[in-house]
């Protein structure tokens, strides 16, 4: 299935992850506040001890909790990119608890999604998750401010 054909049919707190350096990243306080306001908790820890390897982080909808894997996402930028990615999933859950809907449009994803993300998603995820993962990978490149606004708009 091609990137464009899929999109054409798709429906589309603590305040630190890595310590005091993280607090200096622009928009981090707004992102933390938006997640807290939405009832999303988060933690940063090594995931290998939990038999989870090679993932930067994950979101558990049932717990409304984001985990950042500090043994994989070692650098601050990786951790914040992962936090933004998982925050998009939290916003998707706010839109619909089943997480089958995106918060943006198919047109947005068509114009802003990348072929490399699309190729990876098709290999790494089940088909029913393709749209929400494409959206999370696409939006995670936005600023902390922009993701905070997305969470606020979707969840409050």
């Amino acid at each position: 299935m091609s990137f464009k054909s899929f999109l054409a049919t798709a429906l589309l707190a603590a305040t630190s992850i890595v310590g005091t350096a993280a607090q200096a990243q622009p928009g981090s306080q707004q992102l933390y506040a938006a997640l807290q306001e939405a009832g999303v908790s988060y933690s940063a820890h090594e995931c290998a001890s939990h038999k989870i390897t090679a993932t930067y982080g994950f979101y558990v909808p049932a717990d409304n909790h984001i985990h950042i894997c500090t043994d994989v996402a070692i650098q601050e930028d990786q951790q914040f990119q992962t936090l933004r990615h998982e925050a998009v999933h939290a916003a998707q859950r706010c839109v619909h608890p089943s997480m089958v809907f995106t918060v943006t449009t198919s047109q947005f994803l068509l114009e802003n999604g990348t072929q490399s993300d699309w190729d990876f998603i098709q290999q790494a995820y089940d088909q029913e998750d393709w749209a929400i993962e494409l959206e999370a990978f696409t939006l995670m490149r936005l600023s902390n401010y922009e993701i905070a606004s997305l969470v606020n708009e979707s969840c409050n």
Side-chain angles (χ1 to χ4, degrees):
M1 177 181 289
S2 76
F3 178 66
K4 288 186 178 186
S5 67
F6 169 74
L7 288 175
T9 60
L11 292 171
L12 290 188
T15 62
S16 177
I17 292 176
V18 294
T20 56
Q23 294 178 19
Q25 185 168 39
S28 62
Q29 295 300 323
Q30 288 79 1
L31 181 54
Y32 294 131
L35 289 169
Q36 184 177 16
E37 178 74 20
V40 180
S41 60
Y42 49 90
S43 60
H45 51 78
E46 290 188 4
C47 295
S49 62
H50 300 287
K51 298 184 183 186
I52 300 167
T53 58
T55 186
Y56 284 74
F58 53 96
Y59 173 66
V60 180
D63 299 333
N64 207 18
H65 187 83
I66 294 171
H67 298 266
I68 305 299
C69 299
T70 57
D71 50 336
V72 180
I74 297 168
Q75 298 175 350
E76 179 185 342
D77 286 345
Q78 293 171 326
Q79 293 176 359
F80 271 100
Q81 191 172 54
T82 303
L83 181 63
R84 290 189 299 270
H85 177 105
E86 302 308 336
V88 171
H89 289 316
Q92 292 164 340
R93 181 181 176 269
C94 288
V95 169
H96 197 277
S98 68
M99 295 179 63
V100 295
F101 297 105
T102 58
V103 295
T104 61
T105 64
S106 300
Q107 186 64 35
F108 175 86
L109 294 176
L110 180 61
E111 292 171 358
N112 296 286
T114 68
Q115 187 66 47
S116 62
D117 283 346
W118 178 240
D119 292 343
F120 171 75
I121 289 163
Q122 289 180 91
Q123 296 298 313
Y125 295 94
D126 294 331
Q127 187 171 357
E128 64 265 13
D129 295 328
W130 287 355
I132 64 168
E133 288 300 335
L134 179 61
E135 181 173 61
F137 276 99
T138 301
L139 294 177
M140 74 183 189
R141 295 178 181 96
L142 298 178
S143 71
N144 291 332
Y145 294 111
E146 291 167 305
I147 298 301
S149 178
L150 177 79
V151 170
N152 285 329
E153 291 171 12
S154 299
C155 298
N156 301 317

